[in-house]
Amino acid sequence: MTTTSSTRSTFPADGEPPVPVGRIAIVRDLTRDALGTFDQLWRDHGDVVRLHVGPRPLSRTFTAFSTPEAAATVFGGTTWRTFDKNDQVYREIRAWLGDGLLSAQGDEWTRQKRFVQPVFTHAAVDGYTDLMVSEIADVLDGLGGSGEDDLAIDVGESMMALTLRVVIRALFGKAGDDAVPVVREAFPEVAETVIRRGLAPWSPPTSWPIPRTRRAQAAQQRLWDLCDRLIAERRDAGDHDRGDLLGRLLAARDGSEALSDKEVRDQVLVFLLAGHETTSTALTYALHLLGRHTDIQERVRAEVTEVLGDRTPTAADAAALTYTTACLKEAMRLYPSAPIIGRLATEDTEVSGVHVPKGTGVIVLVRNIHRHPEHWPDALRFDPERFLGDAEKGRHRYAWMPFGGGPRACIGQYFSMSEAVLVLAMLLREWQVEAVDTRDDLPVRAAITLAPAEPVRAHLRRVWGAP
Ligand code: HEM
């Protein structure tokens, strides 16, 4: 696996992007290692490349861009509607997880957004902070529960378990406690199916009796049954609003209209999909990088001690932890949870002077943008100062875009940043993290989100609190 930081901004003068040969080899390369393949293509061809993927007549055409300027055209301004979410990955998300806010389009997206937006305002999210903090504290208590002062952990696994518990607690309150094992077991099966079918040049119809498809359908049914039961229980109890996300979704109104139970289920599934692996990835790499750079970790701990002392954190504390936040942002730059974002062009159009034909795919390579030498000097260095003081002045708006951009940017951005900053603060207050792997740049793979290609291991040594 390779990592580039020496590529220069290169766009073809004639507007015709380079097209690497090999329609079949590229299927194999993308399936095996999509990020490594795009990295190599960037190195070989520069900031734009056109791919014909798969044998004719099944072949699909994509144009992949690695610049913030291209991202601004695809996601922002007045042009974003030209690029819709009808690419194959989004079609599979729709088929397996329903048509919630993440995959909805056109007027249906506008309608859903009116219901969902109030659930994610800063004030609403601050209202879930107590739920988050009590769940984080429970998990941390569990870590040191056997009285040990020195632990060896798989950071990726620990963060995945923690963020799943936090999102389930924020979604369902205490009623979600028995949902954790169901989601933990069923969700990966569905998510893996979405990405496998989303990237394949051809997938068998889901009606065919293929064991893998049947297993994924059974997992999907378990997730639906779980959500339907929790929604019905809450409706029957009559007290919708218990301060969690589910209560707010059930109470949400657009004029006199409410979301149907199926629509609530679709949103809940999307929050589970979009809201746990992503935050887990951000935390995993933040902890690894802080475990490699102990001087920076000490600065975080000093800030946490000053802001929190030994108090239980509140929503206001998350906002006050500015150095901790800068470390998280820098980790998300190097390891963006959504490293590749796709769209489909709805008409013949142009991106950065390159012609994009109607009906072809557009790919924005967020990971390359985040490592682009024109925007990030010494791009591979972990340096939280990039997000402090005036350092961000003059930087392109889309040079850092882990949450996407424009009208379809992540609605859970404030939720996940608050959660992740609180996790870092609470964990580092108690534990010194030492990374086991001495490489700064760890091998990754692209599932629905970026994921470690190998376990990310660390030692935790207690620095505070009773064993
Ligand atoms: C570190 C954590 C997170 C990252 C990096 C992240 C990243 C993203 C990105 C890149 C998009 C845009 C996708 C596109 O343009 O195709 C997005 C959209 C979305 N995210 Fe997140 N996300 C995170 C956490 C969350 C959380 C916690 C939730 C909810 C609980 C959430 C819910 C959503 C939803 C509903 C959308 C669709 C918004 C729309 O289209 O209007 N995300 N996210």
Side-chain angles (χ1 to χ4, degrees), residues 3-282:
T3 310
T4 310
S5 70
S6 60
T7 314
R8 259 182 273 300
S9 184
T10 41
F11 266 82
D14 60 359
E16 279 304 311
V19 184
V21 289
R23 289 166 179 264
I24 308 221
I26 197 80
V27 175
R28 183 203 57 211
D29 293 348
L30 286 173
T31 315
R32 207 180 276 164
D33 176 12
L35 286 173
T37 304
F38 280 122
D39 198 15
Q40 190 61 46
L41 288 167
W42 190 34
R43 188 191 302 262
D44 293 345
H45 301 285
D47 289 331
V48 58
V49 64
R50 180 157 295 156
L51 302 177
H52 300 297
V53 180
R56 290 193 183 93
L58 298 173
S59 170
R60 287 181 290 147
T61 297
F62 300 95
T63 315
F65 295 91
S66 298
T67 64
E69 294 78 11
T73 306
V74 176
F75 300 123
T78 53
T79 36
W80 66 278
R81 281 185 199 276
T82 311
F83 306 94
D84 73 11
K85 290 197 172 186
N86 251 332
D87 62 300
Q88 200 171 321
V89 171
Y90 271 115
R91 286 209 299 269
E92 292 295 335
I93 289 179
R94 216 166 278 139
W96 289 92
L97 290 161
D99 207 3
L101 190 70
L102 180 66
S103 55
Q105 304 206 78
D107 293 345
E108 182 50 27
W109 170 75
T110 316
R111 179 179 158 273
Q112 290 191 22
K113 181 119 179 182
R114 282 200 294 271
F115 284 102
V116 179
Q117 185 83 63
V119 176
F120 285 97
T121 59
H122 285 209
V125 172
D126 287 351
Y128 316 131
T129 306
D130 289 349
L131 292 176
M132 279 184 196
V133 166
S134 84
E135 200 61 23
I136 297 166
D138 273 4
V139 174
L140 292 183
D141 282 353
L143 262 185
S146 48
E148 286 171 71
D149 281 344
D150 189 338
L151 303 170
I153 63 162
D154 178 325
V155 187
E157 253 178 31
S158 304
M159 290 304 112
M160 193 74 106
L162 187 149
T163 55
L164 179 62
R165 280 184 54 173
V166 171
V167 80
I168 286 182
R169 175 56 70 92
L171 265 168
F172 303 119
K174 281 216 176 304
D177 284 357
D178 55 347
V180 174
V182 181
V183 177
R184 185 178 293 168
E185 180 236 342
F187 213 80
E189 187 83 47
V190 175
E192 199 273 325
T193 304
V194 166
I195 200 68
R196 183 169 32 79
R197 295 176 61 92
L199 295 181
W202 177 84
S203 292
T206 49
S207 55
W208 289 11
I210 297 168
R212 205 151 61 162
T213 312
R214 290 282 177 266
R215 277 200 307 278
Q217 285 165 333
Q220 177 192 45
Q221 191 62 50
R222 284 199 296 284
L223 288 172
W224 284 357
D225 290 347
L226 171 82
C227 293
D228 291 347
R229 175 173 64 74
L230 289 167
I231 293 166
E233 280 173 9
R234 185 70 62 96
R235 284 221 195 270
D236 291 348
D239 61 334
H240 293 173
D241 199 353
R242 297 182 195 163
D244 53 24
L245 278 151
L246 177 61
R248 285 179 183 265
L249 278 176
L250 289 171
R253 294 288 178 277
D254 180 20
S256 59
E257 200 194 342
L259 290 170
S260 70
D261 283 2
K262 180 187 170 305
E263 287 173 322
V264 172
R265 180 180 77 196
D266 288 351
Q267 302 305 344
V268 165
L269 286 173
V270 159
F271 298 162
L272 285 174
L273 170 77
H276 106 266
E277 282 187 13
T278 45
T279 315
S280 161
T281 296

